[in-house]
Amino acid sequence: MKKLLLFLLSFLFLNLAQSQDRCTLCKAAEKENFGKVERIIRKEVKKRKHGMSFYNGPGSGMQITHVPNLDTITLWLKSKPCVEDAAWDKCQMKEALYPGWSSIGIKFKTASGIKEKCFLIQEGSTGTLNIFGWRPHIFKTKNKLIYRKMYDCEGFIENQKKNCQEINQNR
């Protein structure tokens, strides 16, 4: 009786372990449930919202960068079996405004083919509220990543790879 019970428990455990192989991101992407994909990406950005600080020499003080966090999110996405390719706009020329913005582009393998989606991420917050057009500065500014939105962006990854190749050739 004990052997039968042990056999059944081990069978159930192995069955559950095999069913957990496919990640929730891939399940949602294959079913084209991009609302769930957006929630998963939002969680990943929230996990890695704090930047890395470094000292840039006398007189400049501490600097905070989000490049390692965005690289980590992109590499995490590339490791998923349902993601064909992922890139963020690190080589794109941007205006030096605060707060800054970055986009991560992802090519998903879905049931109807390859779909490319982009996720807009804000780098920093100003601490102002918008109350019917009145914008009081209530909170202090924070240098952290904030997920903003998902949008369609065909050709984003190819453009970013081309931008990086041009910069590397000019060096």
Side-chain angles (χ1 to χ4, degrees):
M1 185 69 178
K2 289 181 182 180
K3 288 182 181 180
L4 180 64
L5 184 62
L6 185 62
F7 175 75
L8 286 174
L9 287 175
S10 63
F11 179 76
L12 287 174
F13 178 73
L14 289 174
N15 217 2
L16 286 174
Q18 288 177 350
S19 66
Q20 297 296 325
D21 285 345
R22 295 184 51 219
C23 65
T24 55
L25 178 74
C26 291
K27 288 178 188 176
E30 287 171 4
K31 293 178 184 175
E32 296 185 27
N33 184 359
F34 289 111
K36 186 165 187 162
V37 169
E38 188 174 17
R39 287 191 298 274
I40 293 168
I41 300 293
R42 179 180 289 133
K43 276 185 188 178
E44 283 300 313
V45 170
K46 202 169 193 175
K47 272 191 223 175
R48 295 170 174 85
K49 68 181 177 181
H50 297 291
M52 299 198 54
S53 56
F54 63 94
Y55 183 67
N56 203 19
S60 66
M62 294 297 286
Q63 302 291 323
I64 296 177
T65 182
H66 293 287
V67 172
N69 295 347
L70 293 168
D71 280 336
T72 303
I73 293 169
T74 306
L75 288 174
W76 174 79
L77 287 164
K78 284 183 179 182
S79 71
K80 300 297 179 189
C82 59
V83 174
E84 186 175 293
D85 200 7
W88 68 283
D89 58 352
K90 64 181 167 185
C91 296
Q92 186 171 340
M93 298 297 280
K94 300 176 190 172
E95 294 180 13
L97 296 175
Y98 185 82
W101 300 84
S102 290
S103 293
I104 297 177
I106 308 167
K107 282 186 179 179
F108 290 106
K109 297 175 189 172
T110 64
S112 63
I114 305 271
K115 301 264 180 159
E116 191 168 353
K117 297 282 185 179
C118 285
F119 300 89
L120 187 66
I121 299 169
Q122 179 179 333
E123 297 174 0
S125 67
T126 58
T128 59
L129 286 178
N130 187 3
I131 305 171
F132 304 113
W134 180 50
R135 296 176 187 254
H137 184 80
I138 296 176
F139 307 107
K140 68 178 189 174
T141 59
K142 296 177 183 142
N143 202 345
K144 62 182 183 177
L145 293 179
I146 303 167
Y147 176 84
R148 285 299 173 200
K149 69 176 183 174
M150 175 181 69
Y151 59 96
D152 294 329
C153 57
E154 291 299 320
F156 176 83
I157 294 175
E158 285 78 22
N159 285 338
Q160 298 312 315
K161 287 181 179 180
K162 189 174 71 174
N163 287 344
C164 289
Q165 286 176 351
E166 288 174 3
I167 288 174
N168 289 336
Q169 285 176 354
N170 291 337
R171 286 185 182 174

